[in-house]
Amino acid sequence: DCASREDLSFVIDEMIAELNVGHAYNRGNPDLEDEPSESVGMLGVDFELHDGAFRVRKIYRGAPWDYDARSPLDALPPDKLEEGDYILAVNREPLDAGKDPWAAFVGLAGKTVTLTVSDEPEMNEQTRDVNVKLISSEGGLRYRDWIEQNRAYVDKKTDGQVGYIYVPNTAAEGNNDLFRQFYGQTQKKALIVDERWNGGGYIPIRMIELLNRPVLNYWARRDGKDGSTPQDGHFGPKCMLINSLSASGGDAFPSYFRQVGLGKLIGIRTWGGLIGYTGGPSLIDGGRVIAPSFAFYDLDGTWGIEGHGVDPDIEVIDDPTLMANGGDPQLDAAIELMMQEIKSHPYIPPKRPPYPDRSGMGIREEDK
């Protein structure tokens, strides 16, 4: 019944589905042709139609240290284009309020354009021109902005006591994101590690090692605050947010997090695909069929996680009706738990002891 390579791929997909196992994939339909596409220049903004013109409702920006998520508008002098301003024309061509505003940006990705901007929804003496180099994708900007919005929300709700880290996967990007967010928040009293929608990657052993560094000793500094070894550890309460789209390494991460006693898991059960593959040769036509080659089993000799996932300690449903307007019941539950943990199980370093009396021979017994 297969009249084309695409039909054959469909049959292979159906056969793989019958295996009831994760990490078995059919990749590529070599005979399919790509559809034509055209770039769209992006500003990293949300538009809204207001008084018959397009107004910038929101500008997306990462944190000041996010060098890989710079808004095109960051290059402009202050007050040249702000939230609430109207964009009336692109390269002197007026925007048509009857079309999507991005229609005016087709084919302009990576190019510098002239935007006609005003505080008012029409051309007048307030109109000004600004030159902006457009980007081809807003994904990085919106991703970093979302992280910083969550971090700011947690900071505000906890009076700065709780930190927030988002980990998108357990591959190189996820390790980098954990590293770049962790060190600036080690002094927080508690940490929320958010691994919802974690796409997996590697086995996250280094991630767990970073979060699970117990304090070994303290250092009385003559010229500053006392320090500890390790210097780059967080010793207070922690929790982790999980959901059904935390997959593969995103299953392993919360499993190890709980196993080593770092804290509770909040959300809903993870995807349940903790099995792996090491690659394999392509088919003769360039397609690939990938079979898993190693499977997870537990310390008690039972098969774990694969086909089921990791259950939360505190189940909180990600109810779309509560999230439609920006709410996040899972994050709110994590904030509540961490505030309770700060009260009941805070990390309290010992007080610096009095300096010992070294006037005699050797060290006094009480100073040993």
Side-chain angles (χ1 to χ4, degrees):
D1 292 331
C2 293
S4 67
R5 180 63 168 83
E6 186 175 7
D7 290 343
L8 176 59
S9 291
F10 174 79
V11 172
I12 295 173
D13 290 344
E14 292 296 298
M15 293 174 67
I16 287 176
E18 294 294 330
L19 297 176
N20 193 29
V21 69
H23 292 72
Y25 305 118
N26 177 36
R27 295 274 174 82
N29 288 312
D31 292 343
L32 292 181
E33 296 182 359
D34 292 333
E35 296 181 354
S37 64
E38 194 167 5
S39 72
V40 177
M42 309 297 286
L43 280 170
V45 304
D46 283 342
F47 283 111
E48 62 180 353
L49 189 61
H50 185 265
D51 289 341
F54 288 112
R55 184 167 65 179
V56 175
R57 183 176 65 84
K58 177 177 173 59
I59 298 174
Y60 287 89
R61 290 186 170 97
W65 55 82
D66 286 331
Y67 66 92
D68 56 350
R70 299 292 191 203
S71 167
L73 304 182
D74 287 342
L76 296 177
D79 304 329
K80 283 294 185 180
L81 202 166
E82 300 178 308
E83 292 179 356
D85 287 342
Y86 294 86
I87 297 180
L88 303 176
V90 178
N91 289 336
R92 306 297 195 293
E93 289 290 329
L95 267 68
D96 185 347
K99 297 181 179 179
D100 189 299
W102 297 111
F105 294 85
V106 172
L108 298 178
K111 297 182 179 180
T112 298
V113 300
T114 299
L115 303 179
T116 302
V117 179
S118 177
D119 301 335
E120 305 293 334
E122 57 187 5
M123 299 285 188
N124 54 30
E125 63 275 6
Q126 302 295 328
T127 300
R128 58 192 181 276
D129 286 341
V130 295
N131 294 325
V132 178
K133 185 176 182 179
L134 304 177
I135 55 178
S136 59
S137 172
E138 296 177 341
L141 279 177
R142 290 176 180 267
Y143 167 64
R144 297 289 177 195
D145 184 271
W146 178 77
I147 291 175
E148 292 311 309
Q149 292 292 330
N150 284 349
R151 195 189 325 282
Y153 178 76
V154 171
D155 191 75
K156 181 178 179 181
K157 296 281 284 189
T158 65
D159 291 327
Q161 297 183 82
V162 180
Y164 171 86
I165 295 172
Y166 181 71
V167 183
N169 55 52
T170 59
E173 298 88 350
N175 277 272
N176 288 338
D177 277 13
L178 173 59
F179 186 90
R180 74 197 289 179
Q181 296 172 62
F182 176 75
Y183 286 95
Q185 300 185 89
T186 55
Q187 300 306 311
K188 298 287 188 179
K189 293 182 179 180
L191 276 181
I192 297 171
V193 181
D194 188 350
E195 76 112 45
R196 294 174 295 178
W197 305 283
N198 186 297
Y202 311 135
I203 302 302
I205 186 62
R206 294 192 180 277
M207 292 178 158
I208 293 296
E209 289 174 348
L210 179 63
L211 296 172
N212 190 35
R213 292 177 173 173
V215 62
L216 301 176
N217 75 282
Y218 299 91
W219 298 96
R221 298 185 182 277
R222 185 187 297 276
D223 55 353
K225 293 182 178 180
D226 289 1
S228 65
T229 294
Q231 298 180 33
D232 50 357
H234 180 270
F235 314 124
K238 302 175 186 66
C239 68
M240 178 176 283
L241 293 173
I242 61 176
N243 68 4
S244 60
L245 294 178
S246 306
S248 189
D251 289 299
F253 196 18
S255 176
Y256 297 156
F257 188 91
R258 179 161 56 197
Q259 184 173 341
V260 301
L262 281 170
K264 293 187 180 298
L265 308 179
I266 300 172
I268 60 175
R269 179 160 51 98
T270 64
W271 182 57
L274 191 48
I275 200 167
Y277 63 89
T278 53
S282 300
L283 301 176
I284 196 169
D285 64 358
R288 293 187 69 195
V289 175
I290 298 172
S293 53
F294 54 93
F296 176 99
Y297 65 94
D298 238 318
L299 296 179
D300 60 2
T302 60
W303 298 107
I305 300 179
E306 174 67 23
H308 177 78
V310 179
D311 291 299
D313 298 299
I314 302 173
E315 185 176 56
V316 180
I317 304 298
D318 42 359
D319 185 340
T321 59
L322 298 177
M323 301 176 72
N325 295 317
D328 193 333
Q330 294 171 338
L331 184 57
D332 287 335
I335 291 172
E336 181 180 356
L337 176 64
M338 288 299 92
M339 294 304 289
Q340 292 172 358
E341 288 289 295
I342 288 173
K343 291 181 180 180
S344 60
H345 299 96
Y347 163 66
I348 303 175
K351 293 182 178 180
R352 181 195 295 192
Y355 282 110
D357 182 355
R358 298 295 175 88
S359 61
M361 294 292 291
I363 301 174
R364 298 184 306 171
E365 190 65 31
E366 60 265 33
D367 290 331
K368 290 182 180 178

